[in-house]
């Protein structure tokens, strides 16, 4: 049970009051989520300090060109991300959003995150739209082959991609219990050697046999999933007005995701930005009637929603339920 009851407010009282008054009467609400929502679970964001994987900017590995050039490197990056995501837990922001979805029928969450933490927090699937796919979907990279696989949690996805671990006695204190457990080496650090990789040992398509499998995420230059875009368009069209859009833990620099802020504004929405960095505001800025809540989404989101959802309760996540 995670309770915010005894803690002092993490947001200014006046802003909290005006936000909660608006939230309580809002019936059409959007949340646009980005990597900052999962930061306090321990996952790095894309841009800024945590966005470098070895010597590569994360966005540079998230392209079809990078995969064509060096599929082994790109798979090492994504296998590592899958492993990391499976080894962290959803945080109070994921749980609070999931609970708001149960309490407010007209609430839709558009997540740019591919880490699976919102589904694991029990976010109702019908109101959660994954704009950029999932690390745990896999598909054939051959344009003509339609093979796709959802909910593939095999870690490592193939044995050749296993994260190297400290070998016996290496860098570990033999007087503690932890000495008996091998520890993952941090292959995001360029000083840690990547294991040699033979292309034949990368994941291959079981249908066409020749195509390499690739992560089921949306890379730069690729279209977002048609069914997801259609669902969102229908939701927006159905809304005579939109009351509120919350822009949570995203730099809101990537399109078409960032454009939902403008679409919501066009239908009258007030904007609430929740971000650690006060410079990370949507391109249209923050208007007089909007809110900017500066700080950790994992602390702020549960507090903002408290008037509707009460104190949040963590449910055992899908990974723990097995
Ligand atoms: C915290 C915090 C804490 C930290 N609490 N906050 C219009 C204009 C200009 C360009 C374009 C345009 N339309 C399309 C484009 C091109 C391109 C694009 O947007 N480029 C921009 C960079 C300019 N878009 C595309 O290519 C898209 N495709 C497309 O448009 O296709 C058209 C098409 C149609 C038909 C046929 C073919 C094509 C696809 C975009 C796909 C993005 N994919 C990625 C990778 C996904 C896979 C993976 O995970 O590896 O998605 S890139 C990366 O960016 C990832 C993220 O979801 C996305 C957004 O990043 P996010 O989440 O905002 O992360 P950060 O790091 O930027 O921000 C984190 C924030 O959290 C920061 O603000 C922190 O301060 C904050 N923070 N800790 C609260 N504790
Ligand atoms: Zn195939």
């Amino acid at each position: 049970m995670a309770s915010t009851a005894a803690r002092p407010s993490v947001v200014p009282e006046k802003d909290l009051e005006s936000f909660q008054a608006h939230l309580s009467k809002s019936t059409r609400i959007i949340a646009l989520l980005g990597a900052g929502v999962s930061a306090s679970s321990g996952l790095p964001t894309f841009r800024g300090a945590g966005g470098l994987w070895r010597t590569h900017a994360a966005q540079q590995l998230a392209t079809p060109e990078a995969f064509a050039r060096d599929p082994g490197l790109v798979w090492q990056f994504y296998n590592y991300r899958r492993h990391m995501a499976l080894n962290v837990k959803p945080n109070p922001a994921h749980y609070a959003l999931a609970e708001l979805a149960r309490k407010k029928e007209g609430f839709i969450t558009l997540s740019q995150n591919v880490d699976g933490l919102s589904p694991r927090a029990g976010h109702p699937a019908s109101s959660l739209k994954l704009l950029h796919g999932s690390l745990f979907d896999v598909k054939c990279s051959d344009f003509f082959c339609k093979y796709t696989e959802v909910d593939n949690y095999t870690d490592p996805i193939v044995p050749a991609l296993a994260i190297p671990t400290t070998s016996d006695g290496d860098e570990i204190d033999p007087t503690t219990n932890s000495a008996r457990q091998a520890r993952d080496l941090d292959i995001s650090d360029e000083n840690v050697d990547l294991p040699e990789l033979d292309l034949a040992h990368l994941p291959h398509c079981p249908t066409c046999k020749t195509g390499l499998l690739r992560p089921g995420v949306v890379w730069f230059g690729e279209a977002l999933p048609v069914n997801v875009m259609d669902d969102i368009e229908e939701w927006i069209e159905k809304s005579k007005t939109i009351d509120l859009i919350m822009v949570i833990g995203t730099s809101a620099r990537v399109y078409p995701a960032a454009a939902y802020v403008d679409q919501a504004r066009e239908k009258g929405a007030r904007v609430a930005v929740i971000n650690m960095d006060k410079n990370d505001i949507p391109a249209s800025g923050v208007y007089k009637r909007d809110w900017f809540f500066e700080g950790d989404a994992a602390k702020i989101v549960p507090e903002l929603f408290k008037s509707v959802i009460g104190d949040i309760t963590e449910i055992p996540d899908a990974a723990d339920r097995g």
Side-chain angles (χ1 to χ4, degrees):
M1 178 83 144
S3 165
T4 52
R7 275 188 246 129
S9 175
V10 290
V11 295
E13 200 58 39
K14 242 178 118 217
D15 289 347
L16 180 63
E17 271 169 26
S18 68
F19 176 85
Q20 289 183 335
H22 188 66
L23 179 65
S24 70
K25 58 177 199 263
S26 294
T27 55
R28 299 298 281 176
I29 308 166
I30 300 177
L32 175 66
L33 312 187
V37 173
S38 298
S40 85
S41 290
L43 297 179
T45 58
F46 274 84
R47 290 157 192 84
L52 213 60
W53 194 79
R54 303 181 72 80
T55 53
H56 312 276
Q59 312 99 276
Q60 272 155 20
L61 294 172
T63 68
E65 292 77 19
F67 188 73
R69 200 183 316 121
D70 194 346
L73 178 72
V74 173
W75 256 122
Q76 268 160 325
F77 173 59
Y78 280 98
N79 182 71
Y80 168 82
R81 301 255 312 278
R82 286 162 59 100
H83 181 76
M84 292 276 287
L86 289 173
N87 281 285
V88 300
K89 289 182 182 302
N91 67 52
H94 298 106
Y95 287 106
L97 286 154
E99 189 56 22
L100 190 69
R102 283 185 282 271
K103 289 274 175 351
K104 290 259 189 192
E105 206 194 312
F107 172 46
I108 190 169
T109 296
L110 317 182
S111 181
Q112 299 171 86
N113 297 342
V114 294
D115 53 35
L117 292 182
S118 285
R120 278 171 55 191
H123 201 120
S126 58
S127 61
L128 176 66
K129 302 297 164 194
L130 300 179
L131 298 172
H132 295 162
S134 165
L135 286 174
F136 303 102
D137 294 347
V138 182
K139 59 187 186 183
C140 185
S141 62
D142 185 323
F143 180 78
F144 297 103
C145 176
K146 295 296 161 221
Y147 179 78
T148 56
E149 200 181 320
V150 294
D151 296 337
N152 173 324
Y153 297 103
T154 309
D155 180 28
I157 186 151
V158 286
L161 287 167
I163 313 272
T165 53
T166 48
S167 49
D168 280 355
D170 246 12
E171 297 173 33
I172 44 179
D173 175 358
T175 63
T176 67
N177 280 342
S178 64
R180 285 174 196 86
Q181 283 171 350
R183 267 180 284 133
D184 296 330
L185 290 175
D186 179 9
I187 60 164
S188 70
D189 177 348
E190 59 178 301
N191 297 311
V192 174
D193 287 338
L194 280 179
E196 290 275 320
L197 199 56
D198 180 342
L199 284 195
H201 296 152
L202 288 179
H204 277 78
C205 175
T207 300
C208 69
K209 313 284 186 207
T210 52
L212 276 180
L213 293 180
R214 54 157 284 183
V217 297
V218 182
W219 284 330
F220 281 115
E222 295 184 325
L224 275 58
V226 176
N227 58 336
V228 170
M229 298 294 279
D230 286 351
D231 286 354
I232 300 169
E233 198 179 308
E234 190 186 319
W235 189 95
I236 292 176
E237 265 172 19
K238 212 170 81 184
S239 311
K240 226 166 123 200
T241 58
I242 296 174
D243 302 301
L244 172 67
I245 180 164
M246 297 176 283
V247 182
I248 312 177
T250 174
S251 57
R253 299 282 182 280
V254 172
Y255 289 82
Y260 289 121
V261 178
D262 306 305
Q263 288 194 44
R265 270 202 203 285
E266 278 164 22
K267 292 222 168 191
R270 293 173 72 177
V271 180
V273 181
I274 296 112
N275 201 298
M276 286 288 252
D277 183 342
K278 60 179 185 315
N279 299 310
D280 271 357
I281 54 170
S284 54
V286 175
Y287 296 5
K288 221 167 148 206
R289 297 177 70 243
D290 296 341
W291 298 266
F292 186 91
F293 296 107
E294 185 181 350
D296 181 5
K299 295 204 171 72
I300 293 177
V301 173
E303 181 153 1
L304 294 180
F305 297 174
K306 197 172 166 178
S307 55
V308 177
I309 67 171
D311 287 331
I312 59 149
T313 306
E314 291 174 20
I315 55 161
D317 79 49
D320 293 338
R321 287 198 300 270

